[in-house]
Amino acid sequence: MTSPGDLPLLGPEASASPRPYPPARRDDVVEELAVGGSTVGVADPYRWLEDADAEDTRAWSAQQDALLAEHRAGWAGRDEVQGRLRDLLAAGSVGVPVWRGARRFSVRRDPGAEHAVLLLREPADPASPDGAQVERLLVDPAALDPRGLTTLDAWQPSVEGDLLAYQLSEGGSEESALRVMDVATGEVVDGPLDRTRYSPVAWLPGGDAFFCVRRLAPDLVPDDEAQFHRRVVLHQVGAPESEEVEVFGAGRDLRTYYGVSLSRDGRWLSVTAAVGTDPRSDVWLADLGEGSTAAAAPPLREVVVGEDASTSARVGRDGRLYVSTDLGAPRGRLAVCDPSDPGPAAWRDLLAERDDAVLEGWTVLDGPELGEEPVLLAAWTTHAVSRVTVHDLAGGTLLREVELPGTGSVGGLVSRPEGGSEVWLTFTDPTTLPHVHRYDARTGELELVEGPPGAPASDGPEVPTRTQQLEVTSTDGTTVRVLVTARADALDADGAPRAGAPLVLYGYGGFGISLRPTWSATTLAWVRSGGVWAEAGLRGGGEEGEDWHRAGMGPEKPRVYEDLEAAADALVARGWTTRERLGIYGGSNGGLLVGAALTRRPGAYAAVVCSAPLLDMVRYQLHGLGRTWAGEYGDATDPEQLGWLLAHSPYHHVRADEPYPATLFTVFDGDSRVDPLHARKLCAALQAATSRPVEESPVLLRREADVGHGARALSRSTALTADVLAFLGERLGLDVAQVP
């Protein structure tokens, strides 16, 4: 790792000759910071761009808008590719059903709809549960807000299915508020309960109350801590906040996130706690007693506390405590024990760690129709590709592997809460939209039960595509896998490329998140025009388990960048593309990835798309939810860890007169996770430093109002993606309007 004294810190001396970009003043801001055992002067000439509401920032941003519009007007095929994206998404989407008795709750996006809606399907005659079914609309974000700025973030029916807790973010914010609906009438009977962003909901039987997580009221905390200080509370439906019972959270780290769940009978309460996004969690269990209304905070017993591992636990219908953990098993394991003795010493593995797969989820099928043969289903991934296995519930013995429709990704794994023989899941692969399937343990068969409500529209004949997984070797000898998708007619009989094509390499590499083989309109729109799309399973992700994640955390973060570079080099060396036709793309943590890539090796890529990125790693904890990510990246208030951050912080590695690639930053004014200031600052720095004229290799900023980091209306998604693909097509030499 580069020592702090060797860092090419951004400063006034790095200034290049003036370029035809919007003027951005360079202030002489230098902070003396403790790094390792010494003091280092860290320059920050564009700190003024942190204040989005300042007059000079607004003026600079407006000029960036004008510069983007000027260049976008010349991007051939932009409107055509947006049309293609709309066509590809015209099929709509479906989600796995959630059952409450005979009632079936599920989300669906109809063809042409801006948002998915929440639907209820139930018997027309309650006395005949197997008779005719009727469908009713419960929550429609577009009807609530025709502007398209409201999103449905989460929902949870009560145990009996007669009440529904659901969370909405309104006006383009990401501030979920929780409401309770009477399912029979559609009437809102409680809420909105504010400060419930990221809150789980655990209903008590009877529907009179539920456990959830709320932040403390703003008047109880400092202004800069309003997004933190969560508490687990018991909320009585219809009662004021003043009557809520605080169950857990006081005195703990202000960044802590909590999870809550209840056993089916309402007796056993499980509480999990994790500081920020740290890959470790503590678990407690409370016995609420038979028929308890939990009117007071229950005593909590430790299940696992203080271990460097992630764990969750819940009591099943059979009375056993099921513990899913990576404690002593980086690829995951599932253990059971008696809830009266829940500590690790009493755990017995049902599913031991495998050396060829990562445990991703599980569910129990124990309905009376299975007699004395209840089973356990488990979802795994091997190099990010899904597998599903069936096991004996008593001891975990492997019975069979479920034959999936192809090589792809499984999601869901939802069974009936009261028990049964069936489990619902989604399956997708690079050429197949997510479909809902049902597995029946009585027959061992996986059956397709529901697909998207429409079909993708077409602007020409169907073009076969092929996805293959390549292996590349990183700097230190580690094997990294890359999923590559291309038109079949661009490959030879052995699957090798016929000629270097415009190629986009996408990566993330953080927070244990895996990139899996799934259907993507973005990928298919690019590939349909003759481009190649590659996704790299970098260290920092979860493709190979928790060890793989930690191999790209903290001081090891540069390994992630080396993995991306190895993938890029291999794709060029093997003839998939050329340097002049190679682009990289990443968002959020992936924005940090490509920001680091372009400052580490400016000449290695022809184009970069950097979306909602982290880029100033010295000050990232001061904005948005940055404090919650210190476990992933390092704590800038710690001199040693600040050294890690400075070693790769993109904003601090901009050099004058470097041939920086064409770069498009995309940011969202409502983003409460990653502040757009990161992109503003690096954009200004690159525009000042690049040796390439704007006509040859532009550095551009695309900003969008009234939308946050994640969910958005379909039209906004297609507009954003169309800009991204048209920019990449322009820079990499692909006619994105082209169809076969």
Side-chain angles (χ1 to χ4, degrees):
M1 179 181 296
T2 305
S3 66
D6 296 331
L7 290 170
L9 301 182
L10 181 71
E13 69 278 7
S15 178
S17 57
R19 306 294 176 190
Y21 282 106
R25 74 171 190 270
R26 296 176 57 83
D27 291 342
D28 188 15
V29 176
V30 179
E31 277 192 291
E32 299 296 321
L33 299 175
V35 181
S38 60
T39 299
V40 175
V42 179
D44 189 0
Y46 299 108
R47 184 173 294 181
W48 59 274
L49 283 170
E50 292 183 359
D51 185 355
D53 297 323
E55 183 177 348
D56 46 4
T57 303
R58 291 200 305 269
W60 180 87
S61 297
Q63 291 176 307
Q64 296 295 335
D65 294 344
L67 180 66
L68 173 69
E70 176 186 337
H71 282 264
R72 181 164 50 192
W75 295 346
R78 190 262 173 215
D79 293 340
E80 289 84 352
V81 79
Q82 183 172 9
R84 184 175 308 145
L85 290 163
R86 285 194 297 262
D87 289 344
L88 287 164
L89 293 165
S93 62
V94 290
V96 290
V98 171
W99 294 90
R100 294 294 185 268
R103 283 178 162 163
R104 178 186 188 274
F105 299 81
S106 64
V107 294
R108 183 177 74 210
R109 185 180 63 79
D110 287 326
E114 288 279 18
H115 292 281
V117 300
L118 178 60
L119 299 165
L120 172 69
R121 190 179 301 168
E122 61 184 344
D125 179 0
S128 303
D130 297 325
Q133 302 283 305
V134 294
E135 187 175 86
R136 289 194 289 117
L137 178 64
L138 293 180
V139 183
D140 181 357
L144 295 170
D145 180 5
R147 300 173 301 164
L149 303 182
T150 293
T151 59
L152 175 61
D153 300 331
W155 50 276
Q156 184 69 253
S158 63
V159 175
E160 297 77 16
D162 54 354
L163 294 173
L164 174 76
Y166 64 102
Q167 290 153 275
L168 298 173
S169 290
E170 300 173 275
S173 76
E174 296 181 299
E175 270 302 323
S176 291
L178 188 151
R179 295 166 172 82
V180 177
M181 174 190 293
D182 182 315
V183 170
T185 66
E187 177 187 359
V188 176
V189 297
D190 196 8
L193 310 183
D194 62 358
R195 311 188 309 281
T196 53
R197 181 183 188 184
Y198 303 138
S199 173
V201 172
W203 284 95
L204 282 162
D208 293 329
F210 54 80
F211 293 94
C212 67
V213 177
R214 296 186 81 173
R215 301 194 308 270
L216 294 180
D219 59 339
L220 299 178
V221 300
D223 290 345
D224 64 346
E225 296 179 1
Q227 286 292 330
F228 308 104
H229 295 285
R230 290 172 171 80
R231 300 288 188 270
V232 177
V233 299
L234 175 65
H235 177 82
Q236 300 290 329
V237 174
E241 180 180 355
S242 60
E243 296 182 15
E244 289 180 347
V245 177
E246 184 174 309
V247 174
F248 193 71
R252 304 190 66 80
D253 190 303
L254 63 87
R255 300 169 296 166
T256 303
Y257 291 105
Y258 300 100
V260 291
S261 66
L262 274 168
S263 58
R264 164 79 177 167
D265 60 7
R267 176 176 177 179
W268 296 98
L269 171 69
S270 173
V271 176
T272 62
V275 176
T277 58
D278 289 5
R280 56 193 64 87
S281 55
D282 297 331
V283 184
W284 294 262
L285 191 67
D287 185 350
L288 304 183
E290 262 187 72
S292 171
T293 60
L300 293 165
R301 168 184 283 184
E302 291 184 0
V303 176
V304 57
V305 174
E307 297 285 353
D308 186 14
S310 291
T311 304
S312 62
R314 63 179 175 85
V315 175
R317 289 181 295 269
D318 57 6
R320 297 190 295 182
L321 181 67
Y322 288 77
V323 181
S324 181
T325 185
D326 59 21
L327 180 61
R331 291 176 176 267
R333 62 185 172 116
L334 179 67
V336 291
C337 65
D338 189 316
S340 64
D341 182 17
W347 297 353
R348 174 177 64 84
D349 280 356
L350 267 187
L351 300 175
E353 182 185 31
R354 297 177 59 155
D355 60 9
D356 65 340
V358 178
L359 181 62
E360 299 285 352
W362 58 275
T363 194
V364 169
L365 299 178
D366 57 358
E369 60 270 39
L370 293 175
E372 300 300 316
E373 299 180 358
V375 297
L376 170 72
L377 259 71
W380 313 79
T381 57
T382 297
H383 308 320
V385 176
S386 285
R387 304 166 65 180
V388 177
T389 54
V390 184
H391 304 258
D392 166 67
L393 182 59
T397 301
L398 176 65
L399 301 176
R400 68 189 70 91
E401 184 156 343
V402 177
E403 185 176 348
L404 297 175
T407 301
S409 299
V410 164
L413 223 61
V414 174
S415 56
R416 294 179 184 268
E418 68 272 20
S421 64
E422 301 166 307
V423 62
W424 285 261
L425 55 87
T426 59
F427 180 83
T428 178
D429 62 35
T431 61
T432 307
L433 281 155
H435 285 61
V436 177
H437 297 256
R438 179 179 59 230
Y439 175 80
D440 192 328
R442 293 170 296 185
T443 64
E445 297 296 323
L446 185 69
E447 177 189 5
L448 173 64
V449 294
E450 187 176 13
S458 177
D459 54 2
E462 195 67 30
V463 178
T465 63
R466 178 174 175 182
T467 298
Q468 52 192 298
Q469 193 171 68
L470 310 179
E471 293 186 355
V472 305
T473 303
S474 194
T475 305
D476 61 357
T478 298
T479 298
V480 175
R481 292 169 176 85
V482 184
L483 286 168
V484 181
T485 301
R487 280 171 42 167
D489 60 9
L491 306 173
D492 64 23
D494 297 323
R498 296 186 190 279
L503 184 147
V504 177
L505 174 59
Y506 183 88
Y508 188 79
F511 297 94
I513 294 172
S514 301
L515 296 185
R516 299 179 182 171
T518 59
W519 186 90
S520 165
T522 303
T523 300
L524 292 177
W526 181 260
V527 169
R528 188 171 174 78
S529 293
V532 176
W533 195 273
E535 294 189 351
L538 312 170
R539 278 176 283 189
E543 291 85 356
E544 308 297 333
E546 183 56 25
D547 282 349
W548 188 253
H549 172 206
R550 296 189 184 213
M553 283 177 56
E556 305 303 322
K557 193 66 179 176
R559 305 292 85 77
V560 185
Y561 312 144
E562 292 170 2
D563 290 353
L564 183 80
E565 291 163 357
D569 291 348
L571 290 165
V572 171
R574 298 178 192 181
W576 284 95
T577 190
T578 64
R579 292 291 176 194
E580 296 74 24
R581 308 193 88 182
L582 172 62
I584 54 174
Y585 178 15
S588 194
N589 174 77
L592 169 61
L593 168 71
V594 298
L598 76 89
T599 51
R600 283 166 62 98
R601 299 200 308 178
Y605 317 101
V608 178
V609 176
C610 186
S611 184
L614 282 163
L615 297 166
D616 180 348
M617 300 307 291
V618 172
R619 292 172 60 81
Y620 83 96
Q621 289 163 268
L622 303 178
H623 307 281
L625 297 181
R627 292 191 207 187
T628 65
W629 308 323
E632 181 77 13
Y633 298 124
D635 184 350
T637 66
D638 178 286
E640 179 185 3
Q641 296 182 37
L642 178 58
W644 309 343
L645 295 162
L646 273 172
H648 66 84
S649 177
Y651 176 61
H652 299 91
H653 284 264
V654 176
R655 295 176 172 87
D657 292 315
E658 288 283 351
Y660 288 109
T663 303
L664 175 65
F665 295 98
T666 67
V667 295
F668 316 106
D669 289 351
D671 192 337
S672 57
R673 299 185 222 176
V674 181
D675 197 296
L677 69 87
H678 289 271
R680 290 195 294 268
K681 291 173 71 173
L682 186 59
C683 178
L686 291 178
Q687 288 179 348
T690 184
S691 62
R692 292 177 171 173
V694 63
E695 297 81 7
E696 175 190 324
S697 190
V699 176
L700 304 170
L701 178 70
R702 181 194 191 274
R703 63 190 184 115
E704 190 172 354
D706 301 322
V707 69
H709 195 81
R712 66 198 64 204
L714 181 68
S715 59
R716 283 180 174 263
S717 294
T718 57
L720 170 63
T721 305
D723 281 351
V724 167
L725 295 184
F727 167 80
L728 289 167
E730 177 75 12
R731 307 317 310 173
L732 305 182
L734 180 68
D735 180 2
V736 293
Q738 174 182 309
V739 294

